Amino acid sequence: MPLAPIVMVTGFVLFVSVAWYLSTYNRFVKYRNRIEESWSSIDVALKRRFNLIPNLQKAVAAYGSHEARVFKETDSVGAAPKEAAADAPQRAASESRISQGLDGLLALAEDYPDLKASHNFLSLQARLSDVETDIQTARQKFNRAVGRYNTLIDSIPSNLIARKFGFTKVDYFTLELATQREVPSIDLGKK
């Protein structure tokens, strides 16, 4: 008779341990899948942005061949390949070069009133702004999922399951967008 409570307690502890183990493993899988889904959204938005570049180049080319060379570096980047979420830093570097080219183009428009007033150019610029808003939203969703996943990997005792099944940390995705502008500094000092 005294053996029955020990068996029940041992069975309960074993059941709770297995349930926790399975639950934690499933959370790793859920977060990894959210990261992949979020990365897909980033990738789609980046491809949409990349597809706007030839049209922006054509709009600028109408104002002179010298100005069209702003995108020479962007052309050499080539089509943005779909890469795994683990390659976020490499993708960010590649996309940053594209952003710099786009930033140069948008700055160029400031020097050419006809280009700046062109309905075609303004439409492309608005579409670029919309796409970059989509990139920013997808990036935030991705980084939120990465944060949860990485926290689970670093937390005790879930880090034991992470090590056992090879779950590794994922890098955050950061990207300067071409339509982001620094806030101008204002000197309010008295003269």
Side-chain angles (χ1 to χ4, degrees):
M1 215 56 186
L3 191 58
I6 293 172
V7 171
M8 285 179 36
V9 168
T10 304
F12 178 74
V13 169
L14 185 60
F15 174 76
V16 168
S17 297
V18 169
W20 172 83
Y21 189 83
L22 293 174
S23 171
T24 302
Y25 178 84
N26 288 337
R27 280 195 301 163
F28 276 115
V29 172
K30 176 176 76 172
Y31 290 148
R32 184 181 58 201
N33 289 340
R34 284 186 183 166
I35 288 170
E36 290 172 5
E37 175 188 343
S38 301
W39 183 256
S40 178
S41 297
I42 290 172
D43 189 56
V44 166
L46 289 172
K47 286 179 181 178
R48 283 180 44 221
R49 179 179 80 157
F50 192 80
N51 290 335
L52 284 173
I53 292 172
N55 293 330
L56 285 165
Q57 286 175 315
K58 289 176 187 173
V60 172
Y63 291 88
S65 61
H66 172 72
E67 290 79 5
R69 285 185 287 165
V70 170
F71 278 118
K72 185 172 178 69
E73 184 178 324
T74 306
D75 284 338
S76 67
V77 173
K82 183 172 181 174
E83 299 176 11
D87 296 326
Q90 294 85 1
R91 182 70 180 266
S94 172
E95 294 297 332
S96 289
R97 288 191 297 274
I98 293 172
S99 289
Q100 290 169 357
L102 287 170
D103 190 41
L105 175 74
L106 297 175
L108 178 70
E110 298 297 321
D111 295 336
Y112 291 88
D114 291 342
L115 175 60
K116 201 164 112 177
S118 164
H119 175 69
N120 186 32
F121 183 79
L122 290 174
S123 172
L124 290 169
Q125 191 174 14
R127 286 177 46 204
L128 176 64
S129 183
D130 291 344
V131 168
E132 291 200 340
T133 299
D134 293 345
I135 292 170
Q136 186 71 1
T137 302
R139 186 189 66 80
Q140 288 170 346
K141 182 179 175 187
F142 175 83
N143 286 341
R144 196 169 29 256
V146 166
R148 289 180 181 145
Y149 180 77
N150 288 346
T151 299
L152 191 59
I153 287 174
D154 287 340
S155 299
I156 296 173
S158 60
N159 62 349
L160 301 172
I161 294 173
R163 260 188 263 139
K164 180 171 175 74
F165 290 101
F167 292 105
T168 57
K169 291 179 85 170
V170 175
D171 292 322
Y172 290 96
F173 186 73
T174 57
L175 177 65
E176 283 292 320
L177 299 174
T179 56
Q180 287 178 333
R181 297 281 185 240
E182 290 185 24
V183 177
S185 62
I186 300 173
D187 184 15
L188 298 176
K190 293 181 180 179
K191 292 185 178 186

